[in-house]
Amino acid sequence: MNDGNDIIHISNIDNNRTSAYMLDIENENKILLIEDNPGDARLVEILLMESDLINCTVTNATTLKEGMEILEENGDFAAILLDLSLPDSRGFETLEEFIFKFPHNNVIVLTGFSDKNLGIKAVKAGAQDFLVKGDFDADILSKTLRFSIERNAVLKRLEETQKIAHIGSWSFIPQEKKFTVSDETYRIFGFAPKKDSFDYSDLSNPEHPFYFFNIIHKACLKQHPETLKGDWKIEGIDGHKRSVYVQCNSQRKSNNITVFNGIIQDITDRKQAEEKMITSQARYQYIFSKSKDAIFIATFDGRLTDFNHATVDLTAYTGEILRKYTIQQIFGNVKFWDKIIADVQKGKMVKDIEIEFIDQKNKKISCLITATPHESENFEGFNCIIRNITEQKHAEELRKARDVAKQSAQLKEKFIASISHEMRTPMNAILGMSNLVLKTDGLSEEQSNYIISIKQSSEILLGIVNDILEVATLQNGKLKFENNEFDLFELLANLVNVMIYKMNEKDINFELVINEDVPQFLRGDKIRLNQILYNLVGNAIKFTDEGSIVIGVEKINESVGSVHVKFSVKDTGIGIPEDKIGAIFETFTRIRTKDRLFEGTGLGLSISKDLVEYQGGKIWAESELGKGSTFYFDLILETANSQLELAAPEEEEVIKQLDSNYSFKLLLVEDHKMNQLVAKKTLERQWKNIQITIADNGKIAIDKLEKETFDIVLMDIQMPVMDGYETTAYIRSKMTPAIANLPVLAMTAHAHISKDEKFKEYGMDDFVLKPFEPDQLFDKISKYIIAKQS
Ligand code: ADP
């Protein structure tokens, strides 16, 4: 029965040791008496029974062997009374043997009068106490037993406590070279528990498992042992590394002997947990401080208690101000924040709510807010993450705007392409008819002049349509540039040849100045370069009535494989007002002059600007009103190594014209009545014996081709029912070889047909642009018919 206060129940402790705790001194205690003398044994029993101090039962063993067997079978004895002279063992060895086998048992040695010193020695070796036979009565025996049982119980309790707390103890006495460690210290160093005391000088060997205490002792000698406390790392003989806490103490005994002792505690688990915590804290701290998102902790009244650097960056406030102001003062949007705080206060999480605020520098910032409640022992508030999405939003808006712009540019180009087609078709008729009328007999001079005027106006109109189409293509960024070798000098000479007549008409002097260091052979897009120069020189002629025009070319610098060239076109014309110079490169800009109206659309310079800039160059103008203007542009062009690399100049094709009496059959596939008439009349004027069959669309054309034989087909592209591409593809792939091999010339008002060469893909041999130049049309027809004959 447990009724005393000193009973401690502890579970999960091994049996041998639990007994110490369960011992109740008032209850019956089992005593093992190892005594061979029956008289002595009986005396002990009688004395114990007489005593009121202890309640016990005695088991008697008469040999050491028997005693040990009893203990092995049932170790639950509160004390062992051991006679040191037994039949199978005598003297001090008996004790040593016994303690070696049962280190945790509570032994009281019985000695004879003559062996009193042996008893003292036994206590030093680990016995609890000793009694001299014949010298004790019931009181002494029971007091000794009782004291020893209690002391043993306390010791065992201490040992258990050490085991639970992982605290071991150690002591060393340098003067006596003695070193002792507790069971738990053994365990900490990876041993099974032992009760050993060994020579301290052994520890100076680094291989010794307790060498660590040698280090500790040395440290104790250097500093006051009491100050030696702290964490160390050790490695046990089991190879495990452990963290230990060591604390020392020193005591000077009366005989001038100093005892160093202390505790060693295994704190590996705590250390690991601490390290884990430190690592995770460090990790969070790192994320916190390096995060691009503003992160802060705030109280429910909106005070920031902790914030990262990104918060400072986002708000553009100093840390000091952030600590002083409330969230509402920092970010504005008072109602919004009140609502967020109310939500988190109710324990809700707020995720990715978008708001805008004005930062300290008056910049509008868009951001996403995420807030979660934050409660700890002495804090109530919330965590908040703010992601700045201003740039993202801006990029998104730009992307949308770009998509819209792209879409509208595509629509515009489509629209312009179809308008240009719609305009070109009737203009084809006007120009064609004008040509036909001019060829009729009996026109008066006045009539001729009217027709010529009609023709010239139509040509101007056609130029405008072409320019508009070109601008649309450029603005859509669809232009591709060639990179072929060309002769710059030849290009300039041709330009002069074309322009010289106009200049002569106006009596303007002309000069071409090419600096000596300008390379003759270059690589690039010569057609585009020509177009730019043609535009600038054309303007110079148009806006100059007298004086001179100078085209200049100079080298700015040259590096391996390329040359930076500057072109200039200088005139002595009407000049441009200073405030208008910037505007002239914009589309449809023309400067009004009071007295004269110059023809033009205001597109030429805009086209030139695009063409230069697409090639990485710059175009600009300098001018003085009434004195003249100079237009400049620069380009970086690749250099061609030598003239040899140039492709042999294409020999101008000398086309043999078919004789005017030549008789052949032509199929004209065209839906527009006016154009049918123009083509028919133009061709019949050229060839008296031509037989022209007209088909209004591709389908009719295929029918006609199946029934009749033709020498050539003139095919419009845009037609109802079956267009020119489809029809040609059908002819080439589905019809008999004689028909499939007929020459087919595309006729189109789409100016860019020559660029995309789509007509070739569909199997057409060549194209003529509407409105057609009669001579071009005659040349192409002659070329293909002659080729077919040979
Ligand atoms: P266009 O000549 O067809 O009107 P441009 O785009 O080529 O269109 O020129 C735009 C305007 O710039 C012209 O209308 C004219 O007012 C002015 N300009 C261009 N070149 C000259 C020049 N050499 N001298 C005076 N004014 C010029």
Side-chain angles (χ1 to χ4, degrees):
M1 270 302 295
N2 299 331
D3 51 7
N5 289 335
D6 51 351
I7 300 173
I8 305 166
H9 293 277
I10 293 187
S11 52
N12 294 335
I13 298 178
D14 69 77
N15 274 339
N16 269 343
R17 325 211 107 220
T18 318
S19 57
Y21 287 100
M22 304 310 276
L23 179 126
D24 180 345
I25 204 76
E26 302 310 331
N27 284 340
E28 199 172 72
N29 291 292
K30 280 165 67 188
I31 311 284
L32 175 63
L33 172 65
I34 310 176
E35 170 65 80
D36 59 330
N37 184 329
D40 286 349
R42 184 68 194 136
L43 180 66
V44 168
E45 277 175 46
I46 292 167
L47 290 176
L48 283 176
M49 265 180 279
E50 268 177 21
S51 170
D52 294 335
L53 278 172
I54 190 155
N55 177 12
C56 58
T57 53
V58 178
T59 307
N60 185 199
T62 53
T63 61
L64 184 63
K65 186 166 172 268
E66 188 193 350
M68 287 192 188
E69 279 169 5
I70 292 172
L71 265 178
E72 254 164 32
E73 257 172 50
N74 178 8
D76 192 15
F77 286 91
I80 291 111
L81 289 167
L82 174 67
D83 180 16
L84 286 188
S85 58
L86 294 166
D88 52 347
S89 170
R90 297 196 80 72
F92 191 63
E93 279 167 27
T94 315
L95 177 74
E96 280 187 324
E97 202 181 329
F98 190 87
I99 290 187
F100 178 77
K101 200 115 186 252
F102 302 101
H104 297 292
N105 280 73
N106 179 20
V107 181
I108 297 160
V109 168
L110 297 173
T111 62
F113 260 126
S114 51
D115 299 332
K116 209 169 169 182
N117 284 341
L118 199 63
I120 296 166
K121 200 175 155 199
V123 170
K124 282 190 180 171
Q128 280 273 350
D129 210 339
F130 74 96
L131 289 166
V132 180
K133 283 194 224 173
D135 205 19
F136 57 84
D137 57 13
D139 271 359
I140 294 177
L141 175 63
S142 50
K143 268 186 198 160
T144 305
L145 267 176
R146 187 179 169 115
F147 173 72
S148 143
I149 292 169
E150 278 181 358
R151 184 170 171 267
N152 197 46
V154 170
L155 280 178
K156 289 201 170 178
R157 207 173 294 160
L158 179 68
E159 225 169 68
E160 285 304 332
T161 313
Q162 286 201 358
K163 194 182 170 197
I164 292 164
H166 299 299
I167 297 176
S169 58
W170 47 272
S171 88
F172 59 88
I173 307 164
Q175 281 103 325
E176 293 177 356
K177 292 191 173 180
K178 221 169 146 191
F179 180 77
T180 329
V181 294
S182 73
D183 284 8
E184 190 54 27
T185 307
Y186 269 99
R187 227 176 265 119
I188 291 171
F189 281 81
F191 292 99
K194 280 188 208 170
K195 266 209 166 75
D196 258 356
S197 167
F198 43 89
D199 189 345
Y200 175 71
S201 47
D202 293 352
L203 295 191
S204 53
N205 178 3
E207 299 295 316
H208 194 284
F210 290 124
Y211 175 71
F212 171 72
F213 290 103
N214 190 49
I215 300 170
I216 293 289
H217 182 223
K218 281 196 178 140
C220 280
L221 295 178
K222 276 196 196 145
Q223 64 187 86
H224 196 276
E226 268 78 293
T227 60
L228 193 88
K229 46 175 96 169
D231 298 347
W232 299 73
K233 287 243 181 241
I234 57 158
E235 185 171 346
I237 53 144
D238 52 359
H240 283 172
K241 290 200 168 78
R242 292 182 172 86
S243 298
V244 290
Y245 170 74
V246 173
Q247 193 169 341
C248 292
N249 194 14
S250 69
Q251 284 171 330
R252 187 172 285 265
K253 290 182 161 181
S254 52
N255 55 2
N256 226 3
I257 284 183
T258 308
V259 179
F260 293 90
N261 53 17
I263 55 126
I264 175 163
Q265 183 176 14
D266 184 350
I267 52 165
T268 313
D269 291 350
R270 198 183 78 205
K271 263 273 159 198
Q272 279 174 353
E274 258 173 33
E275 270 161 23
K276 258 191 200 161
M277 193 148 105
I278 289 169
T279 324
S280 86
Q281 261 175 358
R283 202 175 295 146
Y284 281 117
Q285 188 57 38
Y286 184 82
I287 295 169
F288 182 73
S289 59
K290 298 283 176 214
S291 165
K292 284 191 176 150
D293 293 342
I295 306 176
F296 59 78
I297 301 169
T299 59
F300 289 134
D301 31 316
R303 303 256 161 216
L304 270 57
T305 57
D306 197 5
F307 51 83
N308 64 355
H309 197 75
T311 314
V312 177
D313 289 346
L314 178 77
T315 56
Y317 281 113
T318 62
E320 209 180 308
I321 297 219
L322 287 177
R323 257 178 283 269
K324 225 160 72 185
Y325 286 12
T326 63
I327 296 182
Q328 289 88 339
Q329 285 168 318
I330 297 163
F331 295 102
N333 302 296
V334 177
K335 279 193 182 154
F336 171 84
W337 282 105
D338 287 351
K339 165 98 177 59
I340 289 204
I341 293 175
D343 281 350
V344 285
Q345 219 163 356
K346 279 183 221 151
K348 280 192 204 163
M349 177 182 174
V350 173
K351 198 166 185 295
D352 289 341
I353 310 264
E354 198 176 326
I355 61 156
E356 275 179 355
F357 73 95
I358 308 292
D359 76 1
Q360 166 68 357
K361 291 181 181 156
N362 248 340
K363 239 172 79 188
K364 196 161 95 181
I365 312 279
S366 304
C367 45
L368 292 179
I369 311 266
T370 296
T372 47
H374 176 133
E375 239 179 83
S376 60
E377 214 174 303
N378 41 20
F379 180 81
E380 273 199 345
F382 63 100
N383 302 327
C384 189
I385 302 174
I386 304 188
R387 170 156 296 181
N388 186 344
I389 51 161
T390 315
E391 278 179 19
Q392 229 170 299
K393 280 202 90 172
H394 189 60
E396 175 79 352
E397 276 158 20
L398 277 181
R399 194 185 54 75
K400 275 189 194 156
R402 211 180 35 235
D403 286 352
V404 170
K406 205 170 149 194
Q407 241 177 3
S408 72
Q410 279 167 351
L411 277 176
K412 197 165 108 187
E413 202 212 25
K414 239 178 164 175
F415 172 75
I416 288 172
S418 82
I419 284 286
S420 108
H421 177 260
E422 294 309 321
M423 287 169 83
R424 282 167 157 276
T425 306
M427 235 138 49
N428 184 32
I430 300 172
L431 274 172
M433 292 291 187
S434 313
N435 282 335
L436 287 174
V437 176
L438 282 174
K439 294 233 165 104
T440 52
D441 298 331
L443 278 185
S444 71
E445 200 183 327
E446 197 182 1
Q447 283 170 327
S448 279
N449 285 342
Y450 290 157
I451 303 288
I452 287 167
S453 274
I454 292 173
K455 198 182 155 197
Q456 280 172 350
S457 302
S458 314
E459 276 166 355
I460 290 169
L461 208 54
L462 195 62
I464 294 171
V465 172
N466 283 345
D467 277 358
I468 293 174
L469 195 66
E470 178 98 6
V471 168
T473 320
L474 282 169
Q475 284 178 349
N476 221 359
K478 274 196 174 167
L479 206 66
K480 282 198 194 112
F481 288 88
E482 303 285 332
N483 190 23
N484 294 326
E485 287 163 10
F486 67 93
D487 181 339
L488 176 68
F489 297 176
E490 189 189 10
L491 179 143
L492 291 164
N494 285 342
L495 177 79
V496 173
N497 275 344
V498 176
M499 292 303 204
I500 200 86
Y501 298 105
K502 285 192 178 173
M503 291 192 249
N504 287 345
E505 273 173 23
K506 281 186 132 182
D507 213 15
I508 303 170
N509 288 328
F510 173 75
E511 222 181 311
L512 171 64
V513 183
I514 306 174
N515 277 12
E516 264 175 33
D517 53 1
V518 175
Q520 183 177 359
F521 302 105
L522 297 167
R523 288 183 72 92
D525 193 326
K526 74 169 181 185
I527 309 252
R528 294 304 181 181
L529 178 58
N530 198 44
Q531 193 179 350
I532 302 161
L533 284 166
Y534 191 89
N535 231 320
L536 298 184
V537 178
N539 278 349
I541 299 170
K542 184 160 73 178
F543 297 106
T544 307
D545 289 332
E546 56 185 23
S548 61
I549 291 173
V550 183
I551 302 178
V553 189
E554 60 186 277
K555 184 174 92 176
I556 297 178
N557 58 43
E558 188 168 4
S559 54
V560 186
S562 70
V563 60
H564 192 176
V565 195
K566 183 165 105 177
F567 297 86
S568 59
V569 179
K570 182 173 164 50
D571 66 53
T572 53
I574 61 168
I576 304 161
E578 214 182 318
D579 59 332
K580 299 280 182 347
I581 286 203
I584 52 171
F585 294 100
E586 283 164 26
T587 43
F588 302 109
T589 303
R590 301 174 63 199
I591 298 160
R592 279 173 198 278
T593 34
K594 276 182 238 130
D595 44 346
R596 257 174 83 178
L597 178 68
F598 293 92
E599 67 180 39
T601 53
L603 284 175
L605 285 180
S606 153
I607 293 171
S608 302
K609 181 171 184 273
D610 283 345
L611 290 176
V612 171
E613 287 177 356
Y614 273 120
Q615 296 180 83
K618 223 178 86 187
I619 186 164
W620 70 102
E622 289 165 5
S623 183
E624 203 178 326
L625 199 58
K627 294 215 165 144
S629 319
T630 312
F631 283 79
Y632 301 94
F633 67 96
D634 68 338
L635 288 175
I636 295 177
L637 294 159
E638 282 176 39
T639 40
N641 286 345
S642 74
Q643 192 177 1
L644 288 175
E645 277 198 8
L646 286 175
E650 266 180 39
E651 266 183 42
E652 200 146 299
E653 230 181 329
V654 188
I655 294 171
K656 236 174 92 192
Q657 287 278 354
L658 283 175
D659 190 76
S660 58
N661 293 322
Y662 189 73
S663 157
F664 62 102
K665 285 182 79 178
L666 181 142
L667 177 64
L668 176 65
V669 194
E670 162 73 84
D671 61 322
H672 197 281
K673 296 283 173 220
M674 233 13 171
N675 285 342
Q676 286 175 0
L677 188 65
V678 172
K680 190 166 186 296
K681 291 287 170 204
T682 309
L683 292 170
E684 281 171 355
R685 271 202 161 272
Q686 177 72 1
W687 289 294
K688 287 200 290 286
N689 300 324
I690 188 169
Q691 291 173 51
I692 299 175
T693 306
I694 294 175
D696 280 345
N697 62 47
K699 193 151 186 336
I700 301 171
I702 290 167
D703 285 349
K704 301 238 184 243
L705 281 166
E706 270 167 356
K707 286 181 197 133
E708 279 178 59
T709 324
F710 294 96
D711 296 293
I712 193 160
V713 182
L714 265 187
M715 178 81 74
D716 186 22
I717 302 245
Q718 264 191 356
M719 285 180 297
V721 188
M722 196 171 180
D723 72 18
Y725 291 135
E726 271 179 89
T727 316
T728 314
Y730 184 91
I731 296 171
R732 295 288 186 235
S733 61
K734 303 257 158 66
M735 304 196 78
T736 58
I739 307 169
N741 293 328
L742 273 181
V744 178
L745 303 186
M747 271 192 308
T748 181
H750 277 296
H752 51 68
I753 186 165
S754 59
K755 283 174 203 153
D756 61 19
E757 301 219 321
K758 200 171 161 192
F759 70 95
K760 277 192 188 156
E761 264 173 54
Y762 287 87
M764 292 160 163
D765 295 282
D766 210 332
F767 70 95
V768 279
L769 213 55
K770 287 195 289 190
F772 46 67
E773 275 294 318
D775 284 341
Q776 196 200 17
L777 179 65
F778 303 149
D779 280 356
K780 291 211 170 161
I781 291 175
S782 303
K783 176 178 161 187
Y784 286 97
I785 291 193
I786 292 169
K788 194 175 157 242
Q789 288 167 345
S790 55

